[in-house]
Amino acid sequence: VSSVITESIFNDLLKHRNDAGCKAKGFYSYDAFIAAADAFPGFGTTGDLTTQKRELAAFFGQTSHETTGGWPTAPDGPYAWGYCFKEEQGNPPGEYCQASSQWPCASGKRYYGRGPVQISWNYNYGPAGKAVGFDGINNPDIVANDATVSFKTAVWFWMTEQSPKPSCHNVMAGGWGPSGSDTAAGRAAGYGVVTNIINGGLECGKGSDSRQEDRIGFYKRYCDILGVSYGSNLDCNSQKPFGFAAQSQPRLIKTVV
């Protein structure tokens, strides 16, 4: 990954992440990103160079939307302001606790969004911690305190299938093709399916959506920086969301390597 995302490119992608107005100032480091990327074989290294660049642009595009500090008239444009936040904005953030025998919520702990992908809910913190190597149930705060762990949760989410959803990685790396039911639901390979995976219930199948447009804007900027075309099917305007029942189920890592 470091051969595609050099430290100079990383700093260009996330140009204003360390501005004084960004609450995550000084948190998201290049070394932490590379350490997390190296922990997941196949991430950003699958397929030809065009495929690799598109996957990394997509990863940063989606996570930048989740952590953006941009606004329409921001210096260098709104899409130069990814990674301004490391914790969900809100006062106070919700508990995000769902009753679970496998991942029971710990007293006094809250599972609101943290890190690049804003991982949320106890049923995500538990499996993420198990995969990455921390106690996600009893120590969710580490995701906002340790940059390497924070990036690892984001890459874990990216690489992990949530049946019936494919993994974001498999979509961008070319390892997923639509089934008959996917085609009937308007889902086709491309960046739009990644948005559907992440937040389809709120953003997909409703025509143009400002949140979708923000995700696409980041992705296009990053593709431009990396010198790669965008590919097809960038939006999910006409895609039906994937099923929701799987959201509370433990995730299985099934990736293209």
Side-chain angles (χ1 to χ4, degrees):
V1 171
S2 62
S3 66
V4 176
I5 306 295
T6 63
E7 186 166 8
S8 176
I9 289 176
F10 181 84
N11 290 333
D12 196 12
L13 296 174
L14 310 179
K15 189 169 185 177
H16 290 284
R17 76 186 189 281
N18 290 328
D19 276 40
C22 290
K23 292 186 177 180
K25 178 183 177 181
F27 182 69
Y28 294 113
S29 71
Y30 177 71
D31 288 346
F33 166 68
I34 293 300
D38 288 348
F40 290 86
F43 172 69
T45 62
T46 302
D48 61 18
L49 186 58
T50 294
T51 301
Q52 294 170 16
K53 287 182 174 181
R54 279 187 188 153
E55 178 178 8
L56 291 165
F59 173 82
F60 281 111
Q62 294 288 347
T63 52
S64 290
H65 167 77
E66 299 294 340
T67 57
T68 184
W71 64 100
T73 59
D76 300 306
Y79 308 124
W81 288 78
Y83 284 61
C84 270
F85 298 100
K86 60 179 180 176
E87 294 181 272
E88 182 178 338
Q89 298 304 290
N91 189 23
E95 290 186 2
Y96 293 91
C97 175
Q98 182 179 90
S100 170
S101 59
Q102 186 174 12
W103 308 111
C105 300
S107 177
K109 299 299 180 181
R110 297 196 291 184
Y111 306 97
Y112 58 81
R114 298 176 177 90
V117 81
Q118 293 288 282
I119 188 171
S120 308
W121 295 95
N122 53 308
Y123 55 73
N124 282 324
Y125 272 92
K130 183 177 181 180
V132 170
F134 70 96
D135 188 342
I137 296 300
N138 291 297
N139 189 20
D141 294 307
I142 193 174
V143 179
N145 295 328
D146 184 311
T148 300
V149 169
S150 194
F151 269 116
K152 282 183 177 180
T153 62
V155 181
W156 169 83
F157 181 91
W158 187 262
M159 300 294 288
T160 302
E161 181 183 279
Q162 315 167 57
S163 182
K165 304 175 185 180
S167 71
C168 301
H169 166 71
N170 275 358
V171 171
M172 293 308 301
W176 176 83
S179 65
S181 58
D182 287 317
T183 299
R187 296 189 288 265
Y191 186 71
V193 171
V194 177
T195 298
N196 199 334
I197 291 168
I198 293 172
N199 204 30
L202 295 179
E203 298 180 29
C204 296
K206 303 174 182 179
S208 181
D209 181 280
S210 61
R211 294 162 294 184
Q212 260 205 84
E213 293 304 316
D214 194 64
R215 297 178 192 273
I216 293 169
F218 275 112
Y219 173 66
K220 286 183 173 181
R221 177 174 179 269
Y222 297 155
C223 283
D224 289 345
I225 290 172
L226 293 173
V228 67
S229 60
Y230 309 142
S232 57
N233 302 314
L234 300 189
D235 64 66
C236 59
N237 293 351
S238 302
Q239 296 182 22
K240 292 182 180 179
F242 288 95
F244 301 116
Q247 291 183 0
S248 61
Q249 300 300 318
R251 295 168 172 168
L252 300 175
I253 297 178
K254 298 178 182 177
T255 60
V256 174
V257 296

